[in-house]
Amino acid sequence: QVQLVESGGGSVQAGGSLRLSCAASGFTYTDYCMGWFRQTPGKEREGVAQFYTGGIFYADSVKGRFTISQDNAKNTLYLQMNSLKPEDSAIYYCAALERRFCRQNYSWAGFAYWGQGTQVTVSS
């Protein structure tokens, strides 16, 4: 019954924007710290942005361009992506981490629940 359903991916030109959404169900949303990851062929899954105790983590490559947010009433996580670059092209995943482990740079392997991923393609 646990589900993280992602939407909002697509193809855009460099400099454009996308807003990703992740609708969560089947678990107590507020008992978890939520985050976004991305993966491209030949690379390990990379943390993009996540909530952790006392703040928000952003990868250096997306600082100033991406914004993570959430609506607890709707159990929904968002990632606003502005000024997109071709290097941002990847499959983007949302994930949930048990609150007791919620800290910056926690391994992706420790996240309990994952979405199916949504493709983002940025062209020059």
Side-chain angles (χ1 to χ4, degrees), residues 32-69:
Y32 291 79
C33 294
M34 305 297 296
W36 290 95
F37 294 79
R38 66 186 181 187
Q39 189 167 26
T40 57
K43 294 184 178 180
E44 291 291 317
R45 195 164 296 181
E46 174 190 22
V48 176
Q50 69 177 80
F51 292 103
Y52 68 95
T53 302
I56 301 173
F57 163 81
Y58 290 102
D60 288 343
S61 59
V62 308
K63 286 181 179 177
R65 300 187 297 118
F66 290 12
T67 303
I68 188 172
S69 62

Side-chain angles (χ1 to χ4, degrees), residues 7 35 55 65-66 69 72 91 93 95 98-99 112 115 119:
S7 60
R65 300 187 297 118
F66 290 12
S69 62
N72 289 338
I91 300 174
Y93 301 88
E98 293 180 24
R99 183 179 294 274
Q119 178 71 51

Side-chain angles (χ1 to χ4, degrees), residues 3-7 21-25 36 76-77 94 114-117:
Q3 283 192 304
L4 297 173
V5 181
E6 303 179 9
S7 60
S21 298
C22 173
S25 62
W36 290 95
T76 301
L77 182 74
C94 64
W114 290 85
Q116 79 285 359

Side-chain angles (χ1 to χ4, degrees), residues 6-23:
E6 303 179 9
S7 60
S11 298
V12 298
Q13 295 183 15
S17 298
L18 287 172
R19 190 193 193 202
L20 307 183
S21 298
C22 173

